[in-house]
Amino acid sequence: MNATIRQLLDTADLLIEDSGGAATTGPVTGGPATATSRYRGAAFALRAALESAVAARLTAYGAPRTIREGSMRAALLWLRGCAEAGTARRAKAAWSQLCLGCHYHQYETGPTEDQVRAWRTEVAAVIALLVH
């Protein structure tokens, strides 16, 4: 696992665990970030970590640059040829769930702590499978 992926996972952990301390003070309001915004931020960090691990795996297997730097959907399709089928499916499923958790919708409350913790566990497991 490279340093960037490790830092992104650590950032997600900090956002999940933070109870509104100085690390989440916003520059505009100066007040603590809400739990929902921290969980959404953790989802962003987890998605970026997963995307970095997929890109590293594709690079190791010599995937074309247009695939590695193109859309994540294309990268996940190529991943099926560079990793076990189950690992590729898990990566796609985790990425899809994280995308839902990252997007803001006025009619939804955002990801919960339990969801983000489950995503954190799954992303760490998929990354471990990808880096071997």
Side-chain angles (χ1 to χ4, degrees):
M1 179 180 323
N2 68 37
T4 301
I5 295 171
R6 177 81 265 160
Q7 288 173 341
L8 288 165
L9 292 175
D10 291 344
T11 298
D13 291 340
L14 287 172
L15 288 168
I16 293 168
E17 295 301 325
D18 192 359
S19 59
T24 58
T25 300
V28 176
T29 62
T34 65
T36 302
S37 64
R38 287 186 293 107
Y39 300 147
R40 187 169 282 118
F44 272 106
L46 291 171
R47 187 175 76 177
L50 180 60
E51 289 173 353
S52 294
V54 169
R57 180 65 173 243
L58 293 175
T59 300
Y61 277 80
R65 183 173 160 224
T66 54
I67 296 298
R68 293 189 320 264
E69 296 176 5
S71 75
M72 190 62 184
R73 292 183 189 273
L76 289 168
L77 285 172
W78 266 77
L79 185 62
R80 295 190 308 190
C82 303
E84 292 183 15
T87 301
R89 279 193 300 273
R90 286 176 71 181
K92 184 177 187 291
W95 182 79
S96 296
Q97 289 297 308
L98 288 166
C99 285
L100 292 174
C102 290
H103 292 290
Y104 173 77
H105 299 285
Q106 288 181 333
Y107 52 87
E108 292 179 357
T109 59
T112 65
E113 181 179 359
D114 291 338
Q115 284 176 312
V116 177
R117 286 185 186 281
W119 293 337
R120 168 61 172 90
T121 301
E122 181 64 8
V123 167
V126 171
I127 289 172
L129 292 170
L130 290 173
V131 298
H132 286 114

